[in-house]
Amino acid sequence: MADRDVDGGDDRTDTTRAREGEKHPGHCPVAEGVGGDGDEIYLRSGETAPRYERQHQPLPKLAGFQEELERLITENERRPVRYRLDYLGIFRRLQEAGFQGG
């Protein structure tokens, strides 16, 4: 058994724990693919296929601004590389045009 402090704490370092085969207190077995609810193993087994597939991707907020977005992208591609807008710049221009989405 490990040495314990007067207050009951463990004096061993993480290196000592690892040498002794123990995991550190923040260890998460699910992150290593061990334990958990088995969803990952179930999905990889090939016994089942996803049943739901979306047929149409709706763009309710962007639909009214799709032409404006395409225009901004085309205009941006024509600019010299140094003066092109990044994605955030294009997004801000869309917002200036009245786009309320996020």
Side-chain angles (χ1 to χ4, degrees), residues 4-23:
R4 298 278 177 182
D5 275 350
V6 176
D7 63 357
D10 194 345
D11 285 337
R12 297 175 302 156
T13 63
D14 288 340
T15 308
T16 306
R17 282 191 195 93
R19 222 178 305 125
E20 294 173 0
E22 290 182 34
K23 301 296 182 182

Side-chain angles (χ1 to χ4, degrees), residues 69 72-73 76 79 84-97 99 101-102:
L69 176 60
L72 284 171
I73 291 172
N76 199 41
R79 293 180 181 184
R84 288 184 186 168
L85 298 170
D86 60 359
Y87 293 115
L88 189 56
I90 292 174
F91 177 70
R92 288 185 178 145
R93 292 274 173 98
L94 264 181
Q95 285 182 322
E96 288 171 5
F99 179 64

Side-chain angles (χ1 to χ4, degrees), residues 27-76:
H27 169 71
C28 178
V30 176
E32 290 182 1
V34 179
D37 56 7
D39 288 343
E40 185 176 345
I41 295 169
Y42 178 71
L43 291 173
R44 285 191 197 168
S45 69
E47 292 179 19
T48 184
R51 286 182 241 159
Y52 173 76
E53 290 184 22
R54 184 179 292 183
Q55 298 298 322
H56 174 68
Q57 173 66 41
L59 301 170
K61 292 184 179 181
L62 189 58
F65 294 93
Q66 196 156 1
E67 289 180 18
E68 176 68 12
L69 176 60
E70 289 173 9
R71 186 190 66 75
L72 284 171
I73 291 172
T74 304
E75 181 183 295
N76 199 41

